Amino acid sequence: MMGKHITDVAKDNTIKRYRTKALQYINDRKKAKALIQEATTKTKSEVGKIESFRNQLLLLVDAFDDWVSGRYREVPYKTLTLIVIGILYFVVPTDFIPDLLIGPGYIDDATIIAFIFKQIERDLHAYKLWKVKQPSTTEENTMTPTNEE
């Protein structure tokens, strides 16, 4: 069998189509923060029942947020671009299978995210190792003591 499988071609075309959009978010911090907020809200509200897909999305969003905020810059440009493409593909409701069809509407999103994860798994592993080593930012750490004893 010569050439790529049809689903691989579709994934490659999707990546190419979203690359230009992704570069806009990488180069505009304000746009990037708005995308992060939109993806976080949508992930938590609409795909909570698909746990592994939800976790993958949140990892991409966290990685991009940490990059945008300057906390983690050890991301190759190609990986960063694929992360943003994955987030954009998820956020845009009018992709290959419209997200209005809850359930089936996320099949293409999950496929694209899985494809991206496979491409950048080494870099995501490094990010997760870095993330685990970061100090916790729970409310306990940010609360100031009061004199109400």
Side-chain angles (χ1 to χ4, degrees):
M1 177 188 275
M2 293 183 65
K4 291 184 173 185
H5 189 275
I6 189 74
T7 56
D8 291 336
V9 172
K11 290 174 198 166
D12 286 345
N13 287 337
T14 298
I15 298 298
K16 288 176 187 172
R17 195 172 80 236
Y18 276 81
R19 186 175 187 278
T20 303
K21 286 182 183 180
L23 297 177
Q24 293 171 6
Y25 288 88
I26 289 169
N27 293 315
D28 185 334
R29 190 168 190 261
K30 188 174 180 178
K31 269 182 104 167
K33 285 293 191 180
L35 177 64
I36 290 164
Q37 182 60 46
E38 186 176 356
T40 301
T41 301
K42 185 173 179 181
T43 301
K44 290 180 179 177
S45 66
E46 296 183 24
V47 295
K49 295 178 182 167
I50 310 168
E51 193 67 27
S52 64
F53 177 53
R54 179 180 183 268
N55 291 341
Q56 288 178 331
L57 279 166
L58 289 174
L59 181 61
L60 293 180
V61 171
D62 284 350
F64 188 48
D65 188 30
D66 283 335
W67 183 87
V68 168
S69 300
R71 292 183 294 266
Y72 185 76
R73 291 297 190 151
E74 303 301 316
V75 183
Y77 194 73
K78 180 180 178 184
T79 297
L80 182 63
T81 302
L82 288 171
I83 286 170
V84 177
I85 287 169
I87 296 168
L88 278 170
Y89 194 83
F90 170 69
V91 169
V92 174
T94 55
D95 47 34
F96 189 68
I97 301 174
D99 294 345
L100 298 173
L101 304 170
I102 296 188
Y106 292 111
I107 292 171
D108 61 322
D109 295 20
T111 301
I112 294 297
I113 298 299
F115 176 76
I116 288 171
F117 255 68
K118 187 68 176 160
Q119 303 302 308
I120 63 174
E121 64 187 333
R122 192 176 288 160
D123 295 323
L124 285 176
H125 179 71
Y127 169 72
K128 286 192 282 187
L129 290 175
W130 172 84
K131 189 79 169 168
V132 167
K133 294 177 184 175
Q134 300 312 297
S136 176
T137 56
T138 62
E139 285 187 0
E140 294 173 6
N141 295 340
T142 59
M143 292 177 62
T144 54
T146 62
N147 293 331
E148 297 178 21
E149 293 186 41

